[in-house]
CSV table of all heavy atoms in Angstrom, one decimal:
chain,number,residue,atom,x,y,z
A,136,GLY,N,11.3,-8.3,-6.8
A,136,GLY,CA,9.9,-8.7,-7.0
A,136,GLY,C,9.0,-7.6,-6.9
A,136,GLY,O,9.4,-6.4,-6.6
A,137,ASN,N,7.7,-7.8,-7.2
A,137,ASN,CA,6.8,-6.7,-7.3
A,137,ASN,C,6.4,-6.1,-6.0
A,137,ASN,O,5.8,-6.9,-5.2
A,137,ASN,CB,5.6,-7.1,-8.2
A,137,ASN,CG,4.7,-5.9,-8.6
A,137,ASN,OD1,4.1,-5.2,-7.7
A,137,ASN,ND2,4.7,-5.5,-9.9
A,138,PRO,N,6.6,-4.9,-5.7
A,138,PRO,CA,6.3,-4.4,-4.3
A,138,PRO,C,4.9,-3.8,-4.1
A,138,PRO,O,4.6,-3.3,-3.1
A,138,PRO,CB,7.3,-3.3,-4.2
A,138,PRO,CG,7.5,-2.7,-5.5
A,138,PRO,CD,7.3,-3.9,-6.5
A,139,HIS,N,4.0,-4.0,-5.2
A,139,HIS,CA,2.7,-3.4,-5.1
A,139,HIS,C,1.7,-4.4,-4.7
A,139,HIS,O,0.5,-4.5,-5.1
A,139,HIS,CB,2.3,-2.8,-6.5
A,139,HIS,CG,3.2,-1.7,-7.0
A,139,HIS,ND1,3.1,-0.4,-6.7
A,139,HIS,CD2,4.3,-1.9,-7.8
A,139,HIS,CE1,4.0,0.3,-7.2
A,139,HIS,NE2,4.8,-0.6,-8.0
A,140,TYR,N,2.1,-5.3,-3.7
A,140,TYR,CA,1.4,-6.4,-3.3
A,140,TYR,C,0.2,-6.2,-2.5
A,140,TYR,O,-0.7,-7.0,-2.4
A,140,TYR,CB,2.4,-7.4,-2.5
A,140,TYR,CG,3.0,-6.7,-1.3
A,140,TYR,CD1,2.2,-6.5,-0.1
A,140,TYR,CD2,4.3,-6.2,-1.3
A,140,TYR,CE1,2.8,-5.9,1.0
A,140,TYR,CE2,4.8,-5.5,-0.2
A,140,TYR,CZ,4.0,-5.4,0.9
A,140,TYR,OH,4.6,-4.8,2.0
A,141,TRP,N,0.0,-5.0,-1.9
A,141,TRP,CA,-1.2,-4.6,-1.1
A,141,TRP,C,-2.5,-4.7,-1.9
A,141,TRP,O,-3.5,-4.6,-1.3
A,141,TRP,CB,-1.0,-3.3,-0.4
A,141,TRP,CG,-0.9,-2.1,-1.4
A,141,TRP,CD1,-2.0,-1.4,-1.8
A,141,TRP,CD2,0.3,-1.6,-1.9
A,141,TRP,NE1,-1.5,-0.4,-2.6
A,141,TRP,CE2,-0.2,-0.5,-2.7
A,141,TRP,CE3,1.6,-1.8,-1.8
A,141,TRP,CZ2,0.7,0.3,-3.5
A,141,TRP,CZ3,2.5,-1.0,-2.6
A,141,TRP,CH2,2.0,0.0,-3.4
A,142,LEU,N,-2.4,-4.7,-3.2
A,142,LEU,CA,-3.6,-4.7,-4.1
A,142,LEU,C,-4.2,-6.0,-4.2
A,142,LEU,O,-5.2,-6.2,-5.0
A,142,LEU,CB,-3.2,-4.1,-5.4
A,142,LEU,CG,-3.1,-2.6,-5.3
A,142,LEU,CD1,-2.2,-2.0,-6.4
A,142,LEU,CD2,-4.4,-1.9,-5.2
A,143,ASP,N,-3.8,-7.0,-3.5
A,143,ASP,CA,-4.4,-8.3,-3.3
A,143,ASP,C,-5.0,-8.2,-1.8
A,143,ASP,O,-4.2,-8.2,-0.9
A,143,ASP,CB,-3.5,-9.5,-3.5
A,143,ASP,CG,-4.1,-10.8,-3.2
A,143,ASP,OD1,-5.2,-10.8,-2.6
A,143,ASP,OD2,-3.6,-11.8,-3.7
A,144,PRO,N,-6.3,-8.3,-1.7
A,144,PRO,CA,-6.9,-8.3,-0.3
A,144,PRO,C,-6.3,-9.4,0.6
A,144,PRO,O,-6.2,-9.2,1.8
A,144,PRO,CB,-8.3,-8.5,-0.4
A,144,PRO,CG,-8.7,-8.0,-1.9
A,144,PRO,CD,-7.4,-8.4,-2.7
A,145,ASP,N,-5.9,-10.5,0.1
A,145,ASP,CA,-5.3,-11.6,0.8
A,145,ASP,C,-4.0,-11.2,1.5
A,145,ASP,O,-3.6,-11.5,2.5
A,145,ASP,CB,-5.1,-12.9,0.0
A,145,ASP,CG,-6.5,-13.5,-0.2
A,145,ASP,OD1,-7.5,-13.3,0.5
A,145,ASP,OD2,-6.6,-14.2,-1.3
A,146,ASN,N,-3.3,-10.3,0.7
A,146,ASN,CA,-2.0,-9.8,1.3
A,146,ASN,C,-2.3,-8.7,2.2
A,146,ASN,O,-1.6,-8.5,3.3
A,146,ASN,CB,-1.1,-9.2,0.1
A,146,ASN,CG,-0.3,-10.3,-0.6
A,146,ASN,OD1,-0.1,-11.4,-0.1
A,146,ASN,ND2,0.2,-9.9,-1.8
A,147,GLY,N,-3.4,-7.9,2.1
A,147,GLY,CA,-3.8,-6.9,3.0
A,147,GLY,C,-4.0,-7.6,4.4
A,147,GLY,O,-3.7,-7.0,5.5
A,148,ARG,N,-4.7,-8.7,4.3
A,148,ARG,CA,-5.0,-9.5,5.6
A,148,ARG,C,-3.7,-9.9,6.3
A,148,ARG,O,-3.5,-9.8,7.5
A,148,ARG,CB,-5.8,-10.7,5.2
A,148,ARG,CG,-6.2,-11.6,6.4
A,148,ARG,CD,-7.0,-12.8,5.9
A,148,ARG,NE,-8.3,-12.4,5.6
A,148,ARG,CZ,-8.9,-12.4,4.3
A,148,ARG,NH1,-8.1,-12.7,3.3
A,148,ARG,NH2,-10.1,-12.0,4.1
A,149,ILE,N,-2.7,-10.4,5.5
A,149,ILE,CA,-1.4,-10.8,6.0
A,149,ILE,C,-0.7,-9.6,6.7
A,149,ILE,O,-0.2,-9.8,7.8
A,149,ILE,CB,-0.6,-11.5,5.0
A,149,ILE,CG1,-1.2,-12.8,4.6
A,149,ILE,CG2,0.8,-11.8,5.5
A,149,ILE,CD1,-0.6,-13.4,3.3
A,150,VAL,N,-0.7,-8.5,6.0
A,150,VAL,CA,-0.1,-7.3,6.6
A,150,VAL,C,-0.8,-6.9,7.9
A,150,VAL,O,-0.1,-6.6,8.9
A,150,VAL,CB,-0.1,-6.1,5.6
A,150,VAL,CG1,0.4,-4.8,6.2
A,150,VAL,CG2,0.7,-6.5,4.4
A,151,ALA,N,-2.1,-6.9,7.9
A,151,ALA,CA,-2.8,-6.6,9.1
A,151,ALA,C,-2.4,-7.5,10.3
A,151,ALA,O,-2.3,-7.1,11.4
A,151,ALA,CB,-4.3,-6.6,8.9
A,152,LYS,N,-2.2,-8.8,10.0
A,152,LYS,CA,-1.8,-9.8,11.0
A,152,LYS,C,-0.5,-9.4,11.5
A,152,LYS,O,-0.2,-9.5,12.7
A,152,LYS,CB,-1.9,-11.1,10.3
A,152,LYS,CG,-1.8,-12.3,11.4
A,152,LYS,CD,-1.7,-13.6,10.7
A,152,LYS,CE,-3.0,-14.2,10.4
A,152,LYS,NZ,-3.0,-15.6,9.8
A,153,GLU,N,0.4,-9.1,10.6
A,153,GLU,CA,1.8,-8.7,11.1
A,153,GLU,C,1.8,-7.4,12.0
A,153,GLU,O,2.5,-7.4,12.9
A,153,GLU,CB,2.7,-8.3,9.8
A,153,GLU,CG,2.7,-9.4,8.8
A,153,GLU,CD,4.0,-10.2,8.9
A,153,GLU,OE1,5.0,-9.7,9.5
A,153,GLU,OE2,4.0,-11.3,8.4
A,154,ILE,N,0.9,-6.5,11.6
A,154,ILE,CA,0.7,-5.3,12.4
A,154,ILE,C,0.2,-5.6,13.8
A,154,ILE,O,0.7,-5.1,14.8
A,154,ILE,CB,-0.2,-4.2,11.7
A,154,ILE,CG1,0.5,-3.8,10.4
A,154,ILE,CG2,-0.4,-3.1,12.6
A,154,ILE,CD1,-0.3,-2.9,9.5
A,155,ARG,N,-0.8,-6.5,13.8
A,155,ARG,CA,-1.3,-7.0,15.1
A,155,ARG,C,-0.2,-7.6,16.0
A,155,ARG,O,-0.1,-7.2,17.2
A,155,ARG,CB,-2.4,-8.1,14.8
A,155,ARG,CG,-2.9,-8.8,16.1
A,155,ARG,CD,-3.6,-10.1,15.8
A,155,ARG,NE,-2.6,-11.1,15.4
A,155,ARG,CZ,-2.9,-12.3,14.9
A,155,ARG,NH1,-4.2,-12.7,14.8
A,155,ARG,NH2,-2.0,-13.2,14.5
Side-chain angles (χ1 to χ4, degrees):
N137 193 292
H139 302 272
Y140 57 79
W141 65 87
L142 286 159
D143 176 342
D145 290 332
N146 277 343
R148 176 180 289 107
I149 293 168
V150 172
K152 193 185 275 185
E153 304 259 341
I154 294 172
R155 175 198 68 186

